[in-house]
Amino acid sequence: MKKLLFVLTLMLSTTLAYPQSKTYQLSSHILDISKGMPASDVPIRLEKLDADKKTWSAVAEKVTDSNGRISDFLSAESANEGIYKLTFFTAAYFKKQKIESFYPFIEVVFEIKGSKHYHVPITLSAYGYATYRGN
């Protein structure tokens, strides 16, 4: 009985000490190519298209970290197939730097098929941007 209690206590303490890390299916990144630096503190909204109603519904809104990244969109624990839109709210980012810019926000629409990881970054300057499917 003492051995069983010891094993259970050990298992419980190990589980609490090393929690399972959650995985995510979608991440994003902004690189300000005019400075060669990540763009931090930029809000990004994720929305999903309801194809029948032809409307977008909000999924999440997050802010880029000091490396210009958001790594925790869409938990991989659920099925996420569908058409999504990331809106990068760039106006305040440039205004804070006292830089005039052309795009107040940038919308990137893409489709998730299957369970692979999707990385949707943008490279950004005050008068242009590019996007691609990263990994």
Side-chain angles (χ1 to χ4, degrees):
M1 183 65 166
K2 286 183 181 181
K3 282 185 180 181
L4 179 61
L5 191 55
F6 174 74
V7 170
L8 289 174
T9 303
L10 183 61
M11 287 174 55
L12 183 59
S13 66
T14 302
T15 303
L16 292 175
Y18 302 102
Q20 298 296 319
S21 62
K22 193 170 183 179
T23 58
Y24 295 90
Q25 190 173 6
L26 177 63
S27 58
S28 188
H29 182 216
I30 305 174
L31 179 63
D32 184 337
I33 59 173
S34 64
K35 298 190 311 184
M37 303 277 296
S40 60
D41 297 320
V42 178
I44 302 176
R45 179 188 307 139
L46 175 65
E47 297 171 273
K48 185 174 184 179
L49 178 66
D50 181 324
D52 295 333
K53 296 179 183 177
K54 296 183 176 31
T55 58
W56 294 98
S57 59
V59 175
E61 188 162 334
K62 299 180 181 276
V63 177
T64 57
D65 65 14
S66 61
N67 291 317
R69 296 183 180 275
I70 296 175
S71 58
D72 59 351
F73 278 128
L74 296 178
S75 171
E77 295 172 356
S78 55
N80 295 311
E81 289 192 346
I83 297 176
Y84 290 86
K85 174 172 57 175
L86 285 171
T87 304
F88 300 82
F89 295 99
T90 56
Y93 170 76
F94 287 113
K95 188 175 183 177
K96 184 177 179 181
Q97 300 173 63
K98 297 181 175 53
I99 296 174
E100 201 168 312
S101 66
F102 185 66
Y103 299 103
F105 61 90
I106 298 163
E107 294 181 328
V108 178
V109 178
F110 57 96
E111 185 172 10
I112 291 181
K113 296 179 181 178
S115 59
K116 290 183 180 177
H117 180 79
Y118 285 72
H119 184 65
V120 182
I122 64 170
T123 54
L124 176 67
S125 73
Y127 291 95
Y129 69 92
T131 185
Y132 56 95
R133 166 131 190 234
N135 59 12

